Amino acid sequence: MTTAELMSIVQQLASGMSASLLIFVLTLLFSMPLGLIVAFGRMSKWGIGKFKPLQLLAKIYISVLRGTPLMLQLLVVYFGPYYVFGISMPRTYRFVAVVLGFSINYAAYFAEIYRSGIESIPVGQYEAASVLGYSKSQTFFKIVFPQMIKRIIPPVTNETITLVKDTAMAFVLNYTEMFTLAKQIAAAQTTIVPLFVAGLFYFIFNGIVAIVMEKVEKRLDYYR
Amino acid sequence: MKVLEINHCNKSFGDNEVLKDISLSVSEGQVVSIIGPSGSGKSTLLRCATLLETMDGGDLIYLGDYATKMDAEGKAQYGTPAELKAIKKHFGLVFQNFNLFPHYSVMRNITEAPILIGKRNKAEVYAEARVLLEKMGLADKEDAYPYQLSGGQQQRVSIARALAMKPKILFFDEPTSALDPELTGEILKVIKDLAAEHMTMVIVTHEMSFARDVSNHIIFMDGGVIVEEGNPEDVINHPQMERTKAFLGRFQQ
């Protein structure tokens, strides 16, 4: 293989990378807040006796999305509207389905990470805030949330890195991101090089994620 | 005017009756110490008074404002959230474990509540906080974070945090129990200074000689009831009830 051929592969994959990056960014953007809402539901004590509808709903959500393959979820989100409801979606729905599928899946994981962080905050923090007159939402946003963020950085980094690699899963919906492209080139040119290059791209991408998260962690190091 | 009045307070956790018909009142400038063995209900009483626990029955009144009012059956009926929020301005609480906010500097720990909750002028609150820190001997610590301070320093910050809200009455829940004897002294001194300034205080403590020296009134609790109360000399040095004598016996030797 000539250098020119290699450069061409790198160039093509780099353009595919932007699609992967878009999935990655949008998924984080939607799944992180959605996860917080699910976590609130999961921790909700609202209800009558042992029947807590919000908690039950969140539990079902989490168990279904954690308990079934992401690939299957992507297919359901994409084909569901047509095969279940008979609605034919526009062409652009392919990309929407990818982001939607990833987001609802990752929200389930983020919800449990948030919950672990929130529940690890000592009850004394809530009591101190209550006596000082903080409302429930002030207590959460001023006292609990910032401390939670610090505690959940390592598992969130884990999830984020997994997401980088999971973007390759978009191929099941024929959405052309980097990995799909690499496979196509590999098949067309009967060479394994594109796959190696793709691997290198993921590795570098994750290196950047790790460095950024470490920076965030360092920034929160000012207290213990 | 009574700063705090508790009438016929009852509290159970399941079948366990923790407080049985407790009544007490605290006047302005009074320092009341509550002593008693572990499990006597003294901390629960303090937590009920500071609205961290709900009483099952009885009245809880701050400066004439009812936080809870007994209904015809003696059950405690709590005020609306807005009423309770207003009542919370009357009191402060110093915890055994300080419960400072670790992600805030000393200054922010003290000033956030007056600014955020009290809606007070920022510059004014900061100026007052500096005076408080000076008084606590922590003038150089305003930018420190709680983890950088000793237990005694943290407890003094938490006292300053409570005082910054200008409470009419300050509660202490075993303020020295998490500290070693050397650090205990510095907290007791701060409380004594506050007493000299006629701060109204209710102190749950195991420090008998301190309770005797600093308070105007001592309450001895056991098994969820007030066994004996009176002026410090009488209760600590000449207890009348057998239970009080037994409890204080070790201390008096």
Side-chain angles (χ1 to χ4, degrees):
Chain A
M1 175 173 281
T2 64
T3 322
E5 279 170 335
L6 185 65
M7 283 319 289
S8 146
I9 289 169
V10 170
Q11 236 163 35
Q12 288 182 68
L13 291 190
S15 75
M17 190 71 207
S18 68
S20 301
L21 196 67
L22 193 61
I23 298 172
F24 171 80
V25 171
L26 290 178
T27 299
L28 284 186
L29 203 65
F30 294 125
S31 63
M32 286 185 145
L34 181 60
L36 196 59
I37 294 167
V38 176
F40 281 141
R42 178 64 184 75
M43 290 182 295
S44 156
K45 294 191 169 66
W46 178 77
I48 307 152
K50 284 205 169 148
F51 178 64
K52 297 169 187 140
L54 290 179
Q55 190 185 101
L56 187 67
L57 206 66
K59 273 185 175 170
I60 293 169
Y61 179 92
I62 291 166
S63 68
V64 168
L65 285 147
R66 278 197 317 196
T68 58
L70 173 58
M71 196 183 287
L72 178 70
Q73 292 164 19
L74 287 169
L75 290 169
V76 168
V77 169
Y78 185 56
F79 293 112
Y82 182 76
Y83 287 106
V84 180
F85 303 106
I87 309 165
S88 51
M89 304 298 278
R91 293 179 64 89
T92 48
Y93 182 63
R94 190 188 301 276
F95 177 66
V96 174
V98 169
V99 173
L100 190 65
F102 276 120
S103 296
I104 59 172
N105 176 273
Y106 272 76
Y109 290 93
F110 281 131
E112 287 294 87
I113 292 174
Y114 293 147
R115 185 166 72 95
S116 73
I118 291 169
E119 289 183 348
S120 75
I121 306 298
V123 66
Q125 294 288 302
Y126 290 90
E127 293 185 344
S130 155
V131 171
L132 288 167
Y134 286 68
S135 68
K136 273 195 174 160
S137 67
Q138 284 168 333
T139 305
F140 182 76
F141 288 108
K142 292 277 178 182
I143 309 300
V144 176
F145 188 74
Q147 295 187 58
M148 173 202 88
I149 295 292
K150 183 181 164 93
R151 290 172 190 221
I152 63 170
I153 297 245
V156 164
T157 305
N158 261 346
E159 278 309 302
T160 310
I161 284 173
T162 307
L163 175 61
V164 170
K165 294 174 289 177
D166 273 357
T167 55
M169 205 87 81
F171 85 92
V172 297
L173 302 188
N174 270 328
Y175 181 75
T176 318
E177 40 59 67
M178 183 179 59
F179 192 65
T180 316
L181 213 55
K183 278 204 315 183
Q184 285 167 2
I185 301 168
Q189 304 184 359
T190 54
T191 163
I192 200 169
V193 174
L195 298 180
F196 281 126
V197 175
L200 194 66
F201 267 111
Y202 284 119
F203 189 72
I204 293 168
F205 192 170
N206 272 329
I208 295 167
V209 169
I211 289 167
V212 168
M213 293 307 274
E214 210 180 304
K215 279 249 161 68
V216 175
E217 213 173 327
K218 277 240 170 72
R219 182 167 280 195
L220 292 174
D221 240 6
Y222 67 90
Y223 73 91
R224 260 172 241 160
Chain B
M1 168 86 100
K2 299 284 183 206
V3 180
L4 166 68
E5 227 175 308
I6 296 176
N7 299 321
H8 307 293
C9 167
N10 286 299
K11 171 74 184 172
S12 300
F13 291 113
D15 293 337
N16 184 15
E17 254 191 295
V18 188
L19 297 173
K20 300 167 195 162
D21 196 27
I22 300 272
S23 295
L24 65 91
S25 70
V26 182
S27 314
E28 203 175 332
Q30 212 181 7
V31 179
V32 176
S33 288
I34 305 176
I35 59 172
S38 299
S40 59
K42 53 194 192 315
S43 276
T44 305
L45 179 61
L46 212 62
R47 292 173 61 81
C48 284
T50 50
L51 302 174
L52 292 175
E53 295 283 354
T54 50
M55 307 173 9
D56 298 334
D59 291 328
L60 175 61
I61 311 159
Y62 283 96
L63 297 154
D65 294 338
Y66 281 81
T68 81
K69 198 168 187 158
M70 277 187 287
D71 61 13
E73 291 152 24
K75 282 215 166 68
Q77 299 294 338
Y78 275 82
T80 62
E83 285 169 350
L84 296 181
K85 195 177 174 190
I87 281 170
K88 279 182 181 172
K89 296 203 164 114
H90 294 322
F91 63 78
L93 170 61
V94 174
F95 296 86
Q96 182 177 345
N97 304 316
F98 331 133
N99 291 338
L100 290 175
F101 303 130
H103 58 309
Y104 286 171
S105 67
V106 164
M107 197 50 154
R108 186 147 180 208
N109 261 287
I110 298 171
T111 54
E112 187 174 83
I115 294 167
L116 186 73
I117 318 296
K119 308 261 179 257
R120 295 187 44 216
N121 177 280
K122 194 176 165 185
E124 201 182 292
V125 170
Y126 269 70
E128 282 176 17
R130 294 209 169 88
V131 173
L132 280 170
L133 282 173
E134 181 83 30
K135 211 164 113 181
M136 297 292 154
L138 297 168
D140 56 334
K141 297 291 185 197
E142 67 172 71
D143 295 324
Y145 282 85
Y147 81 94
Q148 296 165 317
L149 305 177
S150 73
Q153 289 171 328
Q154 288 189 49
Q155 190 60 299
R156 280 181 278 154
V157 173
S158 89
I159 294 172
R161 178 174 71 174
L163 288 172
M165 291 300 276
K166 303 191 174 179
K168 296 287 186 303
I169 178 168
L170 192 51
F171 294 93
F172 291 86
D173 187 8
E174 303 192 24
T176 60
S177 294
L179 303 174
D180 66 43
E182 222 168 306
L183 299 178
T184 298
E186 60 186 60
I187 297 306
L188 299 185
K189 185 180 172 305
V190 168
I191 299 174
K192 270 183 191 162
D193 290 348
L194 289 173
E197 293 167 20
H198 306 292
M199 183 76 208
T200 311
M201 293 185 281
V202 175
I203 307 162
V204 167
T205 183
H206 290 298
E207 300 281 332
M208 297 308 155
S209 55
F210 168 71
R212 183 186 56 200
D213 296 346
V214 79
S215 358
N216 323 104
H217 192 81
I218 291 216
I219 293 174
F220 172 69
M221 280 180 71
D222 189 29
V225 296
I226 294 176
V227 175
E228 187 166 352
E229 61 182 313
N231 78 54
E233 276 294 309
D234 292 348
V235 176
I236 303 266
N237 293 355
H238 312 287
Q240 301 301 305
M241 309 298 285
E242 284 309 318
R243 185 66 191 91
T244 321
K245 283 180 193 167
F247 178 71
L248 290 168
R250 205 173 315 129
F251 165 70
Q252 276 156 349
Q253 280 158 17

